[in-house]
Amino acid sequence: MKLLLSIHKYDVFMFTWLVNAKIHRTLSNISRYLSKTGDGQLYTLIIGLLYFIEGIESPLLRAILLAFLLERPIYFILKNGFKRNRPEAALKNFRSIIKPSDKFSFPSGHTSAAFMMATLVGYFFPVFMIPLYGWALLVGFSRVVLGVHFPTDTLVGCILGVSTAFFSLGQVI
């Protein structure tokens, strides 16, 4: 319990420092757009294009579908099991910039899905690996800037996304 309290204190410190930084207003404007790229429409488009171009036999398509079949239930179990309040509910006098789609913050689903897709697409197209991980990192960072996640929410989202991607690749390849 003491460890969790220490982690939470660190999270609040880092979160508060970021939202009070002079550059926060500029970051929040950019973060709105970055966060939207992780909403899911891009993933649906990629899945549709892969199915249209390569069919269900596409190893990338199969890895993506398996990864989402694993990642989403794990994400929901963790989120509803830990029931960690979002910054707006946990911190007095703080309002997030956007309205989140659900009540709890741990782990970050946007971050998890972004790192999962970055890992899977980067595996099949290695030349894009660094830009994809840069994008996934920015999606996670944007969720903190927008005030809907603490830093460790996005860290665990990253771990969840990469882990499910590697597991899926192991099953498909």
Side-chain angles (χ1 to χ4, degrees), residues 68-110:
F68 271 116
L69 282 172
L70 295 170
E71 185 269 345
R72 286 290 97 177
I74 294 169
Y75 155 77
F76 283 117
I77 289 168
L78 290 172
K79 187 159 280 225
N80 292 304
F82 282 99
K83 296 182 179 179
R84 183 181 194 186
N85 285 330
R86 290 191 182 270
E88 186 171 81
L91 304 174
K92 289 183 181 182
N93 301 319
F94 175 77
R95 295 286 173 251
S96 61
I97 294 170
I98 62 170
K99 177 117 173 99
S101 60
D102 59 25
K103 185 176 179 181
F104 302 119
S105 72
F106 181 88
S108 168
H110 276 74

Side-chain angles (χ1 to χ4, degrees), residues 44-57:
T44 305
L45 177 64
I46 291 170
I47 289 168
L49 285 172
L50 283 169
Y51 182 75
F52 180 74
I53 294 168
E54 297 183 19
I56 196 64
E57 295 304 315

Side-chain angles (χ1 to χ4, degrees), residues 142-157:
S142 75
R143 303 298 288 170
V144 178
V145 170
L146 294 171
V148 293
H149 286 289
F150 288 107
T152 55
D153 300 339
T154 59
L155 176 62
V156 172

